[in-house]
Amino acid sequence: MSARQQHNLVMLLQEFGQASDRYVESTGALYATHRTDMNALSIIMKYEQRSLLPSPRDLSRDLQLSSPATTAMLDRLEKLGMIERQRSDRDRRVIRIAMTPKARGKGMEMFMPLGAKMREVISHYDEQQLQVIARFMAEAVAGVDSAREEVVTQRATKPAKSATDTSLKQ
């Protein structure tokens, strides 16, 4: 694959990410949820698929939110009836976050149209092509996560710039 073809593929991946973002933004606006709220529900769902419930700290880490921002988000979701905070029977200080049936229902309403369109798109590929696409997508997600981690690590090790360093020079 030529450098130009690689560039075009990376641009298509960016466009896919942006189209996905637009879908989440538009759908979230219809259901009065923030993008971060929807991402949190997705993360909670992934934990539940593994028979686990995340803690607020897990969500904070996975969403890269501060503790106060995580608390505000959980308060919003709880007020909307989308999550419930569950205390451990063994240690009342331990809190786990669970989705409510309402969240599952709203999630289906929100993402069934997208899922149907994606199934329609992939229906045109044979099993071998789908295996290659699935491997590529898994590697692309891992690549994005790795790049994000590198940027975060580099930023954390660099000294903060002063206000005069970041202002435009005239």
Side-chain angles (χ1 to χ4, degrees), residues 121-130 133:
V121 167
I122 65 174
S123 71
H124 302 290
Y125 296 91
D126 66 34
E127 186 64 31
Q128 186 177 9
Q129 289 171 318
L130 289 174
I133 293 168

Side-chain angles (χ1 to χ4, degrees), residues 3 9 12 26 31 40-41 43 46 64 80-81 86 90 92 98 109 134-137 155 164:
L9 181 55
L12 284 170
S26 299
Y31 289 89
L41 291 171
I43 290 168
K46 287 178 187 176
Q64 296 192 336
L80 290 169
Q86 298 179 350
R90 289 183 279 176
R92 302 287 296 156
E109 283 178 37
R135 188 180 79 233
F136 170 76
M137 291 303 296
R155 178 133 173 104
T164 57

Side-chain angles (χ1 to χ4, degrees), residues 45 82 99 102-113:
M45 199 178 327
M82 302 290 228
M99 286 179 53
K102 178 182 178 179
R104 284 185 191 77
K106 292 288 183 192
M108 286 180 63
E109 283 178 37
M110 295 163 90
F111 290 101
M112 286 286 282

Side-chain angles (χ1 to χ4, degrees), residues 16 20 23-24 110-120:
F16 176 78
S20 296
Y23 184 86
V24 169
M110 295 163 90
F111 290 101
M112 286 286 282
L114 179 60
K117 287 292 180 188
M118 292 297 99
R119 282 190 296 283
E120 182 182 317

Side-chain angles (χ1 to χ4, degrees), residues 25-107:
E25 291 289 338
S26 299
T27 307
L30 293 173
Y31 289 89
T33 57
H34 297 265
R35 161 193 223 58
T36 305
D37 301 346
M38 294 176 70
N39 287 336
L41 291 171
S42 175
I43 290 168
I44 295 166
M45 199 178 327
K46 287 178 187 176
Y47 272 85
E48 288 182 352
Q49 288 170 350
R50 296 180 310 218
S51 298
L52 301 169
L53 294 178
S55 69
R57 181 175 290 176
D58 294 329
L59 291 173
S60 182
R61 181 194 63 240
D62 292 349
L63 293 167
Q64 296 192 336
L65 294 175
S66 67
S67 183
T70 301
T71 299
M73 175 207 54
L74 292 173
D75 289 345
R76 280 193 309 272
L77 288 171
E78 191 170 47
K79 186 175 182 178
L80 290 169
M82 302 290 228
I83 59 117
E84 55 186 31
R85 290 172 166 112
Q86 298 179 350
R87 293 200 180 271
S88 169
D89 290 337
R90 289 183 279 176
D91 184 346
R92 302 287 296 156
R93 295 171 295 177
V94 175
I95 297 174
R96 297 292 176 186
I97 310 301
M99 286 179 53
T100 63
K102 178 182 178 179
R104 284 185 191 77
K106 292 288 183 192

Side-chain angles (χ1 to χ4, degrees), residues 142-160:
V144 169
D145 286 341
S146 176
R148 177 189 47 78
E149 190 60 39
E150 284 179 22
V151 168
V152 169
T153 302
Q154 287 173 1
R155 178 133 173 104
T157 60
K158 287 184 181 177

